[in-house]
Amino acid sequence: MMRSDQIERLITVQSHIIEQQQMHPEATGEFSWLLSGVTFACRIIEANVRRAGLIDVLGDTGETNVQGEMVQKLDKIAHKALLRCLGYRGNVGIIASEEDDEPYVLQQAGPKARYMVLFDPLDGSSNIDVNVSVGTIFSILRRREQDWDAKDPVKPLLQPGFEQLAAGYVVYGSSTVLVYTTGKGVHMFTLDPDIGAFMLSNENVKMPANGKMYSVNEAYAASFPEGYQKYLTWAKKENYSLRYIGSLVADFHRTLLRGGVFLYPPTAKSPEGKLRLLYEANPMAFIAEQASGKASDGVQAIMEKRPTSLHQRTPLIIGSADEVERVLELCNGKNGR
Ligand code: AHM
Ligand code: MG
C-alpha cells in the first residue's frame, strides 16, 4: 500500500515523458504519444507473462522465426501487442521486429509517418517456461524525409545507433521495471500493480564506473577470440564474480545497477556474435552511454556501426566504462583476434 508521503511525489512514465519533451521546444507531443503506445503494449505483455502457467501461453508455437529459433507463444503475443498498440498511434511509419523477416509499413509516406520503431518483443523467450526474467527492448528512429518514398522498407531503418531518438526496455522480473532514455539521462519506473501504472523509481540513473562482475556464457569460452579469453583469465585472478542469466535484458539491468561487464563475443556457432545490432545492441548501448557506461563490438563503439541489414548480428561488450575499456585493451582493437 502506498503511504501518503509517497503520493505527493508520484510521477508516472507518461507525465515524465511529457516533462522531458518540454525540454524540446519544437516538440508536438506526438513523440510522447508514441512512447505511451510502447508502455501500454508492455503492460499487456506483462499481464500475459504474469499469468503464464494459468492461461495457455507457455511453450512454442511449432514455428521457426527468421533467426531460426522456435517461436514461443508469448513471443507472438508480445509481438502482436506492440504492433496493435503502435499501429493505432498514427505517427509510426515503419515497425520492425525480431520476429518478422520484413518490416511492416504502416503509413507509406508523408509528414505524419515521422517515426520508426524496432523491437525485440520478448527477449530471452527461451527462458519463459522456467520462470526466468524476460524483457522487451525498443529503439525509436526518425523516418527521414528522403525516405518517405523509399520502395524498400529496410533501407530507412539502417541508421547507426547514434541516430536513435529514444530507446528502452522493460524487464519482467520480480517486479516489472521500465528503463528509457531520449538522450537526456536514463530513467527507471516500476509498475505499481495496484494502480496499473509505471511510477518513477530512479531518475538519472548512472552505471557504476567499475564493478568486479562479468556476465558471459562461459561454456563457449574455448571458441572466443584470444583477447576475451585473456580477459576472463585476468578477471578470475582478480576474484571477479560471474553472473549470467541468459536474458540480455535481465543481465544488462543488473549491470546497469551494480556495474561490471556483459559480453557476447563471436563464437564458433555465431561468428558475428549472437545479439542483433538494431533492436538489442543499439538500444542497450544508448542507455549504457547515457548512464556513463560504454558499449563496443571489440573494434568500434556499437552506436557508430553502420548497419547493413535488418537482422544483423554483432559482438557486444557493454557495461561500466572501466570494465569495457579493460576488455578492449586485451582485445587490442582487433575484436580479440
Ligand atoms: P532471443 O532474443 O531470441 O531471446 O535471444 C537473445 C538471448 C539474449 O537475451 C541472451 O543474452 C542470449 O540470447 C543468450 O544466449 P546463449 O543462450 O547463447 O547464452
Ligand atoms: Mg533478444
Side-chain angles (χ1 to χ4, degrees):
M1 257 333 255
M2 205 171 285
R3 299 190 312 264
S4 61
D5 59 319
Q6 287 175 306
I7 293 176
E8 309 214 334
R9 50 188 172 77
L10 284 186
I11 301 177
T12 64
V13 68
Q14 260 70 37
S15 50
H16 196 267
I17 291 167
I18 291 167
E19 260 175 42
Q20 289 270 307
Q21 285 304 287
Q22 281 163 357
M23 293 185 210
H24 299 269
E26 73 292 352
T28 58
E30 272 187 80
F31 186 62
S32 323
W33 176 233
L34 163 60
L35 269 174
S36 73
V38 177
T39 61
F40 181 49
C42 290
R43 293 213 317 266
I44 297 173
I45 299 169
E46 104 93 25
N48 280 280
V49 168
R50 295 281 171 237
R51 272 183 248 137
L54 297 175
I55 51 175
D56 182 29
V57 293
L58 286 178
D60 60 64
T61 59
E63 298 158 44
T64 310
N65 70 9
V66 56
Q67 328 281 341
E69 296 152 354
M70 290 302 285
V71 177
Q72 304 293 315
K73 289 182 190 162
L74 268 168
D75 276 329
K76 230 176 171 170
I77 292 170
H79 172 81
K80 273 194 183 160
L82 279 153
L83 276 189
R84 283 197 80 82
C85 293
L86 291 170
Y88 287 120
R89 296 281 137 162
N91 52 8
V92 183
I94 300 180
I95 293 181
S97 158
E98 179 187 323
E99 296 304 324
D100 272 315
D101 201 352
E102 292 291 321
Y104 289 82
V105 178
L106 298 178
Q107 297 190 59
Q108 195 51 257
K112 273 189 161 178
R114 289 171 66 186
Y115 302 108
M116 302 180 295
V117 186
L118 295 116
F119 50 80
D120 179 352
L122 207 58
D123 174 65
S125 54
S126 59
N127 285 324
I128 299 168
D129 291 3
V130 288
N131 210 5
V132 167
S133 299
V134 289
T136 299
I137 311 173
F138 63 91
S139 163
I140 302 178
L141 297 169
R142 183 175 306 289
R143 194 185 199 190
R144 295 166 299 199
E145 215 170 318
Q146 72 259 32
D147 290 327
W148 285 354
D149 291 325
K151 298 282 170 284
D152 171 8
V154 174
K155 201 172 137 259
L157 294 163
L158 303 181
Q159 298 182 27
F162 63 77
E163 299 279 11
Q164 292 174 103
L165 296 174
Y169 64 82
V170 174
V171 56
Y172 311 104
S174 46
S175 62
T176 299
V177 173
L178 179 146
V179 175
Y180 88 97
T181 184
T182 55
K184 300 216 173 321
V186 173
H187 313 295
M188 198 175 284
F189 299 79
T190 304
L191 184 68
D192 184 323
D194 290 341
I195 52 181
F198 283 105
M199 310 305 298
L200 182 65
S201 44
N202 208 342
E203 209 169 17
N204 280 314
V205 180
K206 292 292 172 204
M207 207 181 258
N210 43 53
K212 294 182 79 162
M213 215 180 288
Y214 67 90
S215 185
V216 67
N217 191 336
E218 214 169 354
Y220 309 143
S223 73
F224 292 166
E226 201 189 338
Y228 293 92
Q229 297 194 17
K230 280 190 197 155
Y231 171 76
L232 295 175
T233 306
W234 174 88
K236 285 190 196 93
K237 275 198 204 121
E238 295 294 315
N239 292 321
Y240 273 48
S241 287
L242 162 63
R243 295 281 183 278
Y244 190 69
I245 297 166
S247 289
L248 172 66
V249 174
D251 281 313
F252 177 82
H253 190 64
R254 183 198 55 252
T255 308
L256 175 66
L257 295 174
R258 294 273 166 83
V261 66
F262 172 90
L263 309 165
Y264 208 113
T267 62
K269 193 172 154 204
S270 313
E272 299 307 320
K274 179 181 180 191
L275 300 173
R276 274 55 58 115
L277 175 62
L278 287 172
Y279 43 82
E280 292 182 317
N282 267 343
M284 292 315 199
F286 192 14
I287 292 168
E289 288 197 9
Q290 283 291 314
S292 307
K294 283 197 164 176
S296 168
D297 68 354
V299 178
Q300 63 181 144
I302 289 289
M303 290 208 290
E304 298 290 331
K305 285 180 78 127
R306 302 269 160 188
T308 52
S309 64
L310 180 58
H311 299 290
Q312 179 176 345
R313 296 178 192 260
T314 177
L316 180 63
I317 304 166
I318 191 165
S320 297
D322 294 358
E323 305 300 335
V324 171
E325 279 303 326
R326 197 164 284 128
V327 181
L328 290 178
E329 269 165 39
L330 293 167
C331 287
N332 210 11
K334 292 180 295 206
N335 201 7
R337 288 188 176 89

